[in-house]
Amino acid sequence: MPAVTVENPLTLPRVPAPVAGVPERKVLAVETAPSGFEGEGFPVRRALAAIKLEYLDPFVMMDQMGEVDYAAGEPKGTPWHPHRGFETVTYMIDGVMEHLDSNGGGGTITNGDTQWMTAASGILHKEAPPEWLVQKGGLFHGIQLWVNLPGAKKMIAPKYQDIGRSSVALLSSHDGGALVRLIAGELAGNTGPGSTQTPITLLHATITPGARLSLPWRKDYNALVYALSGRGTVGAERRPLHGGQLAVFDGFGNRPGRTTLGRTTLGETITIEAKDTLDVIVLGGEPIGEPVAHHGPFVMNTRAELVQAFEDFQAGRLGTIPAEHAQS
């Protein structure tokens, strides 16, 4: 699992050791992600599919793409398709992916790079392995995350961010037992390079066997931990977790019926321990707390807005495929 690695994590800024008396968040549930296929047929695990939306807000979905070792001619991507109302985040752990969109954004990501597309008012895009990789084959592994936008931002102008692996904030646990790659948001006074419309934190951590990673966590954020591979435990009660499973943590931010954010002592630390090498995606955000109308490539607040999105797409108002890529 290449992503971004360092020979000696102790040379990095450290996440401080947990402070005595700061409570650990408990785990509400651990669920196994169902498997499926996306785009032109590449395998995925639907990391958030088994969890009710009210515990995920502001996240809509997350797919683990692969890990799969393609033979020559097998690599697949997605054809041109529309989006409106949210942001897509593609983090490539291993392999190569190209992005093109109708707003002029585009680039190639590999081994720890991230593409962050704010679809917002509407955009067309495609993601696919380059032709040379299709011909050659090779390892392919990454995640794609959908982050919802509040109603007030669903119709802002689209935006594209190319976040190279060299810009990711690299941190170590206090004892050097874990490497943390901070892609977006804040953690222990450090800030990831991703610019987010919805307040979130997103990171990828590799925890060595027997090590423990304790992360300070905002009280008004929910907290999710998805295991890419390996085995370990999560939460104050040390719930077992293994590759392909998602842990949902307790906390005021992900409780249905909340009325005021940030006024609780529930959960200020997230704890993850590794039995063998454990790779996890950790994410959390400030719940938007608005109705969600989600169908296909659109995430809006009402059914009427969904209908309008489909009509706008059919009328060509979500953009057009650049002429030089019209046949791709």
Side-chain angles (χ1 to χ4, degrees):
M1 184 176 292
V4 181
T5 59
V6 296
E7 290 188 6
N8 182 7
L10 289 175
T11 63
L12 301 173
R14 301 191 197 184
V15 177
V19 178
V22 175
E24 295 181 46
R25 287 198 183 186
K26 295 182 179 180
V27 174
L28 290 176
V30 174
E31 298 288 350
T32 299
S35 299
F37 293 91
E38 188 57 77
E40 296 171 334
F42 60 84
V44 297
R45 300 201 72 162
R46 311 286 191 188
L48 310 185
I51 307 299
K52 292 181 179 180
L53 187 60
E54 57 260 35
Y55 295 102
L56 303 177
D57 186 11
F59 306 105
V60 179
M61 59 148 272
M62 185 172 77
D63 285 346
Q64 180 182 7
M65 306 179 294
E67 181 173 5
V68 58
D69 195 358
Y70 284 118
E74 288 185 342
K76 299 175 176 67
T78 63
W80 285 95
H81 59 283
H83 286 307
R84 172 180 280 180
F86 64 102
E87 298 184 286
T88 69
V89 182
T90 304
Y91 171 56
M92 185 56 59
I93 299 169
D94 203 333
V96 184
M97 178 75 82
E98 291 182 339
H99 172 102
L100 296 168
D101 67 49
S102 56
N103 197 46
T108 301
I109 55 173
T110 183
N111 296 357
D113 298 331
T114 301
Q115 289 169 338
W116 199 297
M117 185 182 76
T118 304
S121 61
I123 201 168
L124 307 181
H125 85 132
K126 68 170 291 186
E127 290 177 309
E131 184 58 33
W132 64 264
L133 182 59
V134 175
Q135 295 177 3
K136 178 182 177 182
L139 196 61
F140 182 86
H141 190 204
I143 66 161
Q144 184 168 96
L145 173 69
W146 289 14
V147 185
N148 199 9
L149 290 172
K153 291 187 175 182
K154 286 189 179 294
M155 297 301 287
I156 63 175
K159 179 183 176 182
Y160 174 80
Q161 301 174 65
D162 186 0
I163 303 172
R165 55 190 178 277
S166 62
S167 66
V168 171
L170 299 179
L171 311 171
S172 167
S173 58
H174 71 282
D175 59 0
L179 170 63
V180 175
R181 308 160 185 90
L182 181 59
I183 299 168
E186 296 183 355
L187 181 69
N190 300 275
T191 303
S195 175
T196 72
Q197 296 292 329
T198 301
I200 70 166
T201 293
L202 170 64
L203 62 90
H204 170 200
T206 301
I207 309 168
T208 57
R212 175 187 299 182
L213 175 62
S214 293
L215 300 172
W217 212 249
R218 283 180 51 164
K219 296 178 183 179
D220 55 346
Y221 276 22
N222 59 3
L224 310 167
V225 172
Y226 177 72
L228 295 165
S229 63
R231 298 177 304 139
T233 63
V234 287
E237 61 275 66
R238 308 300 186 259
R239 291 277 295 273
L241 182 77
H242 62 71
Q245 290 189 318
L246 176 81
V248 182
F249 284 77
D250 193 5
F252 196 65
N254 61 19
R255 290 190 168 187
R258 66 194 180 281
T259 56
T260 306
L261 292 176
R263 297 182 181 178
T264 178
T265 59
L266 282 176
E268 292 181 331
T269 301
I270 296 171
T271 301
I272 310 163
E273 296 183 6
K275 291 186 179 298
D276 44 39
T277 300
L278 180 63
D279 268 270
V280 294
I281 297 292
V282 184
L283 63 159
E286 182 179 332
I288 295 171
E290 297 177 353
V292 176
H294 173 205
H295 187 77
F298 305 124
V299 183
M300 307 303 292
N301 291 121
T302 67
R303 184 180 183 279
E305 291 172 342
L306 279 180
V307 171
Q308 186 64 57
F310 277 102
E311 291 178 351
D312 288 348
F313 168 56
Q314 293 168 348
R317 290 190 285 268
L318 269 64
T320 57
I321 300 173
E324 64 270 30
H325 301 294
Q327 301 304 316
S328 63

